[in-house]
Amino acid sequence: WLNVHTCFCPCLLTLALELKVMSKSTSLDPKDSESKRLPIYRHKDRLIQAVRDGSFLVVTGETGSGKTTQLPQYLHQAGFCKDGKIGITQPRRVAAITVAQRVAQEMRCTLGREVGYQVRFDDCSTHDTVVKYMTDGCLLREILADPALSQYSVVILDEVHERSLNTDILLGLLKKNFSNPAKATKGRSFPLRVVVMSATLETDKLSSFLGNCPVFTIPGRNFPVTCTFGSAVGPKDTESTAYVKEVVKMALDVHTSEMAGDILVFLTGQSEIERACDLLYEKAESIDYRYDVQDQTVEGLLILPLYGSMPTDQQRQIFQPPPPRIRKCVVATNIAATSLTINGIKYIIDSGFVKQLNHNSRVGMDILEVVPISKSEAQQRAGRAGRTSEGKCFRIYTKEFWEKCMPEYTVPEIQRTSLTAVILVLKCLGVHDVIRFPYLDPPEERFILEALKQLYQFDAIDRRGRVTHLGEMMVEFPLHPGLTRAILKAASLGCQDLLLPVAAMLSVENIFIRPGHPEKQKEADTKHRALAAKSGSMNDFATLLSVFHSCKSSDRPSTWCKENWIHWRALKSAFSVETQLREILHRLQQKKDFPVEIFDGNKNELFRRCLCTGYFTNVARRSVGKVFCTMDGHGSMVHIHPSSSLFDQEAELNWVIFHDVLVTSRVYIRTVCPIRYEWVKDLLPKLHEVDVYELSSVAREEVTDEEMIKWETREAAKRQPEASAEDV
Ligand code: ADP
Ligand code: MG
């Protein structure tokens, strides 16, 4: 047998096949008996009864007890699907897909029929689907179309302890719409059952939020885990990337010096995970199993990455037991902390960091940042080692780092990211008073005001905080409001074909491959530069458009991608996303009041002008040398990112718009497009003109018309000239 194998080795396919064959031949159908051994099984009847008994129920239990995979099946068996579907939400798309696959297997049906899933831009469900796993964002969109959720008999909000933005909003909405018995059956023939599932301690808080509903606890059975601190990451290293090397070193230490048992490494994201797996593979090759390892029953290491955007067939391997005498080492993001349970883990290696979306006040945008995890998160990670026997957790950071840098609890997403998209959803659902909406933990008022201001800038709401016609159209797109605004502008000018592919390309993972090897990197850079030049104009959005079409029109698109260092899988998703966006737009254009405008200029200018309509909040102007200054009131100093085709062309530029920023020691803007000041001149005043407090106070229902008129008159006097700000 092989000593070391990994999914990066050339014989990947053979290995995957071998693994499948092995696990099949060892047991005929293990799933039945496996699921009966789960802690939840003994409580089946009482759980079903508890769901029957009231409209709200909180269910809690250790990760791995069977909540996600089993409870929906129990309810299905108990006949809940006679009245409607069972919907289960997940904060993460991989979890929704993977769990649906597992449950379809357990129920012996084809995925997409009785059991299905729906995540953004990927709907694997049909009319027959009665057990539907989906992301929390998808359920939120369904509520928009059908506030009574009339197709559902049960809605299960899962992983509520993660406190994702959409789950928090769903909690508030379900409470608001379904906790009052008189209101709860409006639009429905039978009452909806709501189950809220959470892995940790916040159950009392959840229960009291939901009108003191009952709490069902599935008793856990965790074994003790010994935790040790390391010496690699101290309080001064919060920005360091040395943790990749350190976790690799630690994993090899465990592999060579600890008894048999699988390893789970917690890292931050795809690129770090791939780097760690490469390093591990390289180093593990030189292990001599006769002399180097303590436990002589261990003869190899199986290295498996696990992150959100990896192909699902690779994900399936994670759950398979490793071949005999082989130790499995899974290198994962936080997804393995609670969303997915991997059996057989005995050792945890904790990097102490997580990639998190945070509102960055320095640039006024949401940014994915690597930050220290919270202490409660660290405990959750450690707990993954004690599921079947005693375990060990190796933290690479010092005790001092734990004490000084790690917060007690993770701050809920609703308190740290942009609320623009969800506030628009709430407004479209008729929730005017977005400040006094029932939030489990309310966001700071300034974040709500910021969202209202942005919606007003995009013309999605008016000065009274009411949704405009444009806002109603915008909410149909599962995209950032700015990008949607640009698409709608393009559609009204009849040039949506320029914007839809770009929006699709920006909605999938990065399409440009960045190889780790310096030589290969050079080759990839040259190809990417050639693609940019081919688009004809130095404009990163145009490059995306050009790549989209070049690949689509190629005879052998996958080969084309390979030759040009482009991710074929990402492009394939982009093609599908584009079709879906086109369908949404088409539906809107069927309505008679869809706006139509005329423009006579060249296509290049038209394209960039449409982009300006959506990206005027991301305008920067060159100040000195290569430094640009943003125009959104923050006045941040930014640089063009080296990946942009405009990098090193700065001297020829004055005004640019950009898609997003990357914050390191500098702030970099990425996906950049040169523009002319005239195109945004009328839009920019909008960034400063509106008084956010007034906007929110008129958003509250109790404002009288009289007050409103007074306020509007005052505002009108302030605005000069009237048309420039409004005429977008
Ligand atoms: P909980 O939701 O309580 O954390 P789950 O229902 O997710 O628990 O998991 C129950 C069991 O099912 C775990 O032992 C887990 O390893 C197993 N399991 C879940 N998904 C899969 C899968 N795709 N393949 C194999 N086993 C799985
Ligand atoms: Mg679960």
Side-chain angles (χ1 to χ4, degrees):
W1 249 99
L2 292 153
N3 273 345
V4 181
H5 29 234
T6 126
C7 62
F8 291 110
C9 77
C11 51
L12 157 71
L13 222 72
T14 357
L15 260 175
L17 280 178
E18 269 178 70
L19 281 175
K20 266 185 197 145
V21 173
M22 289 183 66
S23 73
K24 269 203 180 137
S25 59
T26 44
S27 48
L28 266 175
D29 192 357
K31 281 156 224 136
D32 238 19
S33 55
E34 245 176 62
S35 59
K36 284 187 180 145
R37 276 202 300 268
L38 290 172
I40 198 172
Y41 182 69
R42 283 191 286 148
H43 309 277
K44 181 174 173 178
D45 296 334
R46 284 201 305 127
L47 253 172
I48 294 171
Q49 197 51 45
V51 176
R52 262 203 196 108
D53 283 347
S55 24
F56 287 89
L57 176 69
V58 173
V59 175
T60 175
E62 275 297 331
T63 301
S65 53
K67 301 182 295 298
T68 309
T69 53
Q70 306 304 309
L71 182 61
Q73 295 188 63
Y74 297 169
L75 299 178
H76 177 253
Q77 287 160 18
F80 278 85
C81 297
K82 279 193 213 98
D83 295 333
K85 293 178 203 186
I86 299 170
I88 311 99
T89 66
Q90 297 289 322
R92 301 161 193 268
R93 51 189 278 141
V94 209
I97 299 172
T98 315
V99 173
Q101 279 168 343
R102 169 69 174 184
V103 173
Q105 255 180 17
E106 287 188 17
M107 286 174 60
R108 297 192 181 81
C109 60
T110 315
L111 185 65
R113 300 294 297 274
E114 251 178 306
V115 182
Y117 69 82
Q118 186 180 4
V119 300
R120 189 173 80 136
F121 296 127
D122 182 5
D123 184 0
C124 182
S125 69
T126 50
H127 275 304
D128 303 334
T129 305
V130 284
V131 175
K132 181 169 167 184
Y133 287 88
M134 58 187 132
T135 48
D136 43 14
C138 282
L139 187 66
L140 202 52
R141 311 214 128 253
E142 286 195 24
I143 292 187
L144 259 177
D146 173 20
L149 285 170
S150 53
Q151 288 192 32
Y152 290 89
S153 63
V154 187
V155 164
I156 303 177
L157 302 188
D158 199 1
E159 305 278 328
V160 172
H161 59 270
E162 286 245 351
R163 303 298 308 276
S164 78
L165 174 57
N166 287 329
T167 293
D168 268 17
I169 295 287
L170 282 172
L171 264 176
L173 276 174
L174 292 176
K175 172 191 163 102
K176 191 166 177 292
N177 294 350
F178 296 100
S179 59
N180 173 351
K183 262 167 81 184
T185 43
K186 209 172 125 203
R188 304 179 53 91
S189 44
F190 51 89
L192 178 77
R193 303 281 177 235
V194 178
V195 181
V196 171
M197 303 209 285
S198 167
T200 37
L201 307 167
E202 285 195 298
T203 45
D204 288 346
K205 182 169 165 183
L206 282 170
S207 160
S208 68
F209 179 73
L210 298 170
N212 293 319
C213 72
V215 177
F216 195 109
T217 306
I218 303 159
R221 46 156 202 214
N222 255 16
F223 295 84
V225 177
T226 330
C227 296
T228 48
F229 288 97
S231 57
V233 177
K236 293 202 182 73
D237 301 318
T238 44
E239 298 218 6
S240 118
T241 45
Y243 56 82
V244 173
K245 270 196 196 134
E246 189 57 26
V247 294
V248 168
K249 189 166 148 266
M250 202 78 110
L252 286 167
D253 270 1
V254 170
H255 180 49
T256 50
S257 58
E258 295 285 344
M259 303 308 281
D262 297 340
I263 306 173
L264 173 59
V265 180
F266 282 104
L267 263 182
T268 42
Q270 174 175 353
S271 61
E272 293 87 347
I273 288 174
E274 283 178 349
R275 201 143 33 100
C277 286
D278 279 347
L279 271 174
L280 258 176
Y281 182 51
E282 202 180 287
K283 299 246 160 87
E285 247 179 345
S286 56
I287 295 174
D288 185 334
Y289 282 88
R290 282 168 306 177
Y291 308 110
D292 296 346
V293 293
Q294 272 290 327
D295 185 344
Q296 283 291 308
T297 65
V298 176
E299 289 177 4
L301 186 65
L302 174 66
I303 303 157
L304 297 168
L306 171 61
Y307 48 80
S309 58
M310 67 189 272
T312 31
D313 50 335
Q314 254 184 48
Q315 274 164 29
R316 227 167 290 168
Q317 274 195 54
I318 305 289
F319 294 100
Q320 315 255 1
R325 298 183 154 259
I326 302 293
R327 194 200 295 275
K328 181 161 81 177
C329 176
V330 178
V331 187
T333 59
N334 232 20
I335 189 162
T338 58
S339 303
L340 298 179
T341 306
I342 305 156
N343 295 328
I345 300 295
K346 205 168 161 54
Y347 306 103
I348 298 293
I349 293 166
D350 180 8
S351 66
F353 288 99
V354 69
K355 210 170 257 183
Q356 202 177 62
L357 197 64
N358 284 327
H359 192 75
N360 184 307
S361 51
R362 198 166 133 211
V363 289
M365 288 175 85
D366 283 358
I367 290 168
L368 261 182
E369 289 177 320
V370 172
V371 295
I373 54 170
S374 65
K375 293 189 178 104
S376 66
E377 187 59 53
Q379 268 148 3
Q380 177 65 34
R381 286 181 175 187
R384 304 301 79 230
R387 287 198 53 236
T388 40
S389 62
E390 288 181 14
K392 290 187 183 175
C393 170
F394 301 90
R395 295 172 169 154
I396 67 160
Y397 42 91
T398 59
K399 185 81 196 276
E400 203 191 354
F401 183 81
W402 164 278
E403 275 157 7
K404 293 199 174 142
C405 303
M406 292 168 56
E408 292 300 320
Y409 299 100
T410 312
V411 177
E413 196 179 358
I414 200 166
Q415 296 182 329
R416 58 178 159 82
T417 56
S418 159
L419 303 172
T420 312
V422 289
I423 296 279
L424 181 59
V425 170
L426 287 181
K427 289 264 169 189
C428 285
L429 282 168
V431 179
H432 278 302
D433 187 352
V434 286
I435 291 177
R436 281 178 306 173
F437 177 77
Y439 299 101
L440 183 57
D441 286 304
E444 273 181 59
E445 199 163 302
R446 69 189 168 99
F447 282 161
I448 300 180
L449 299 183
E450 195 55 40
L452 288 169
K453 182 175 162 187
Q454 263 214 349
L455 289 173
Y456 175 71
Q457 286 164 354
F458 287 127
D459 299 319
I461 59 173
D462 66 12
R463 286 176 174 274
R464 296 188 73 159
R466 284 173 311 200
V467 183
T468 60
H469 179 50
L470 192 64
E472 280 165 11
M473 293 199 283
M474 278 167 72
V475 83
E476 297 288 324
F477 290 86
L479 296 173
H480 181 270
L483 204 46
T484 309
R485 182 75 184 85
I487 291 179
L488 289 171
K489 179 74 177 176
S492 70
L493 287 158
C495 64
Q496 60 268 34
D497 290 351
L498 298 176
L499 258 293
L500 289 171
V502 172
M505 296 284 262
L506 291 171
S507 301
V508 299
E509 62 192 288
N510 189 3
I511 56 154
F512 298 104
I513 298 177
R514 319 223 76 228
H517 197 279
E519 273 305 304
K520 299 247 166 71
Q521 181 60 55
K522 247 192 217 157
E523 193 187 320
D525 284 345
T526 315
K527 290 282 184 189
H528 294 164
R529 264 198 304 274
L531 288 173
K534 198 175 159 214
S535 76
S537 61
M538 282 301 165
N539 161 2
D540 297 327
F541 293 89
T543 307
L544 291 176
L545 183 64
S546 155
V547 168
F548 184 94
H549 287 304
S550 301
C551 179
K552 202 159 193 185
S553 59
S554 154
D555 293 337
R556 298 174 58 197
S558 65
T559 320
W560 184 90
C561 285
K562 214 168 170 185
E563 282 165 2
N564 288 289
W565 294 90
I566 298 288
H567 273 295
W568 167 228
R569 196 158 45 84
L571 259 183
K572 258 198 308 194
S573 332
F575 293 156
S576 145
V577 171
E578 198 248 6
T579 313
Q580 294 176 53
L581 293 176
R582 195 173 284 277
E583 280 163 11
I584 298 172
L585 182 62
H586 186 71
R587 258 201 333 266
L588 294 175
Q589 282 179 314
Q590 298 301 302
K591 297 183 184 158
K592 60 177 187 312
D593 47 2
F594 194 87
V596 179
E597 294 172 63
I598 309 283
F599 174 81
D600 54 345
N602 72 33
K603 203 165 145 187
N604 184 343
E605 179 178 337
L606 181 63
F607 180 43
R608 289 187 288 159
R609 275 184 178 247
C610 290
L611 285 171
C612 284
T613 327
Y615 283 101
F616 69 96
T617 50
N618 292 2
V619 171
R621 175 187 160 183
R622 193 161 66 92
S623 70
V624 280
K626 294 187 165 198
V627 184
F628 288 75
C629 176
T630 63
M631 303 303 290
D632 57 357
H634 288 270
S636 321
M637 291 300 160
V638 297
H639 290 79
I640 293 184
H641 193 260
S643 67
S644 166
S645 57
L646 293 160
F647 181 69
D648 273 346
Q649 316 272 320
E650 287 91 342
E652 290 154 41
L653 304 170
N654 282 317
W655 291 82
V656 294
I657 51 170
F658 53 93
H659 175 68
D660 66 357
V661 299
L662 179 77
V663 181
T664 58
S665 51
R666 277 181 174 178
V667 181
Y668 286 106
I669 54 178
R670 293 189 298 193
T671 317
V672 185
C673 168
I675 56 158
R676 287 215 215 108
Y677 173 61
E678 299 95 86
W679 302 343
V680 286
K681 167 173 109 217
D682 294 343
L683 300 171
L684 290 180
K686 264 201 133 171
L687 298 179
H688 309 286
E689 158 212 15
V690 51
D691 177 338
V692 285
Y693 185 72
E694 303 266 17
L695 192 58
S696 89
S697 64
V698 296
R700 297 177 201 209
E701 277 163 326
E702 78 271 24
V703 174
T704 60
D705 276 355
E706 212 173 308
E707 279 175 289
M708 190 61 222
I709 292 165
K710 251 196 261 163
W711 180 75
E712 275 184 341
T713 328
R714 224 173 338 125
E715 275 304 294
K718 270 199 257 168
R719 256 176 295 147
Q720 38 46 46
E722 172 87 34
S724 72
E726 299 289 336
D727 181 24
V728 182

